[in-house]
């Protein structure tokens, strides 16, 4: 199977640029929320049972499942019903952010890479946008 990837450098109008920046910020927040959820789960299981203190350790029930891509996508769908910022961005674009987070965790567990980091404002600089949707959003781009 052959996959083709195209990279485009866009020259955006000021209004399109604001939209793009809002999407980047929404993607960063989704990344940080997903990472926080996974990190809390990981920290709740990292101490020995005889050495944990209730003050400094995360308390998550023992039967809580590890946050995965599918469960976080389901939570994202629920959050999109109430959050206007999440609704402004395309759902597949936000799912790709969670897919990248899942890939970062798989790389941490299997390849020995470091723990994924939270993204500061302005740190996330790329998006994966479905092509047919992007063509309708960015009409008249040079």
């Amino acid at each position: 199977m052959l996959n083709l990837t195209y990279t485009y450098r866009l020259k955006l109008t000021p209004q399109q640029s604001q939209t793009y920046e809002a999407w980047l910020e929404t993607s960063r927040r989704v990344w940080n929320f997903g990472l926080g959820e996974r990190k809390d789960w990981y920290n709740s299981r990292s101490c020995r049972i005889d050495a944990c203190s209730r003050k400094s350790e995360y308390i998550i029930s023992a039967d809580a499942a590890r946050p995965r891509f599918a469960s976080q996508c389901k939570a994202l769908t629920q959050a999109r019903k109430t959050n206007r910022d999440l609704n402004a961005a395309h759902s597949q674009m936000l799912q790709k952010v969670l897919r990248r987070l899942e890939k970062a965790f798989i790389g941490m567990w299997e390849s020995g890479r470091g723990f994924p980091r939270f993204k500061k404002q302005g740190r996330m600089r790329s998006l994966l946008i479905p092509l047919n949707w992007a063509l309708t959003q960015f009409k008249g781009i040079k």
Side-chain angles (χ1 to χ4, degrees), residues 69-87:
F69 172 72
S71 64
Q72 288 185 324
C73 280
K74 193 178 287 186
L76 179 64
T77 303
Q78 295 300 318
R80 282 176 58 90
K81 293 178 181 176
T82 59
N83 191 331
R84 279 195 356 243
D85 293 336
L86 292 176
N87 256 343

Side-chain angles (χ1 to χ4, degrees), residues 30-91:
V30 167
W31 171 278
N32 286 344
F33 184 81
L35 178 59
E37 193 175 45
R38 288 169 182 253
K39 196 169 186 176
D40 288 347
W41 185 90
Y42 179 75
N43 286 336
S44 72
R45 280 134 177 88
S46 64
C47 76
R48 293 190 337 255
I49 193 75
D50 61 344
C52 287
S53 72
R54 287 187 288 173
K55 275 193 237 174
S56 64
E57 297 299 326
Y58 294 92
I59 308 295
I60 296 176
S61 65
D63 60 341
R66 178 171 68 93
R68 295 179 185 268
F69 172 72
S71 64
Q72 288 185 324
C73 280
K74 193 178 287 186
L76 179 64
T77 303
Q78 295 300 318
R80 282 176 58 90
K81 293 178 181 176
T82 59
N83 191 331
R84 279 195 356 243
D85 293 336
L86 292 176
N87 256 343
H90 195 275
S91 61

Side-chain angles (χ1 to χ4, degrees), residues 84-129:
R84 279 195 356 243
D85 293 336
L86 292 176
N87 256 343
H90 195 275
S91 61
Q92 290 178 10
M93 182 173 62
L94 299 177
Q95 288 172 357
K96 291 287 186 183
V97 171
L98 293 175
R99 177 70 69 193
R100 276 196 278 178
L101 181 62
E102 178 77 13
K103 193 173 182 180
F105 266 87
I106 289 170
M108 180 188 76
W109 296 119
E110 294 177 359
S111 303
R113 295 184 201 139
F115 204 89
R117 297 180 184 180
F118 289 102
K119 305 284 186 197
K120 296 179 185 175
Q121 190 166 7
R123 182 78 170 111
M124 188 166 277
R125 300 306 313 158
S126 66
L127 295 172
L128 295 171
I129 302 173

